[in-house]
Amino acid sequence: NRGGAPAAGPPGRAMLRADNGEKQKALIAQLVEHIQMCWDTYGVPDHHRTLYAAKYFTGSFHPNVLLQEADGLAGDTAPVLEVMRAISSREAAHSRLRLLEKVFA
């Protein structure tokens, strides 16, 4: 868990067993809120947020899908966070290469 990340894990793991549709809707709403809070904390790009929400926030997927994403975000292991780190590393390497090019050109 990186500094500034939400300390608590995603809500409602116990609620997944509930068969009641209202409880499932409430759980989905809690998970969506948690995921959005994590996105804000980590600075997840709007493009990812829009695409992810359009696909998974509709209620047509089992809450476990959202729970896995929330777990990954809370644990700093979500694929979007891995991609963000890879992009940041690539940009840093590119900057160093451009500096070296200026020095040795």
Side-chain angles (χ1 to χ4, degrees), residues 10-93:
R13 203 173 255 291
M15 287 179 67
L16 288 179
R17 294 187 190 95
D19 294 327
N20 186 320
E22 290 302 314
K23 285 186 180 181
Q24 189 167 359
K25 286 179 185 177
L27 172 60
I28 289 170
Q30 287 178 330
L31 288 168
V32 166
E33 183 179 341
H34 179 76
I35 289 169
Q36 290 173 332
M37 182 182 67
C38 290
W39 286 346
D40 290 342
T41 299
Y42 285 111
V44 172
D46 288 334
H47 180 73
H48 173 79
R49 295 177 190 216
T50 301
L51 293 175
Y52 190 92
K55 183 168 184 173
Y56 296 109
F57 290 177
T58 61
S60 59
F61 285 87
H62 192 278
N64 279 340
V65 173
L66 297 177
L67 187 58
Q68 287 175 345
E69 180 71 4
D71 279 341
L73 288 165
D76 199 25
T77 60
V80 68
L81 299 179
E82 296 290 331
V83 170
M84 288 171 58
R85 282 191 286 274
I87 291 169
S88 179
S89 294
R90 182 196 68 196
E91 289 173 350

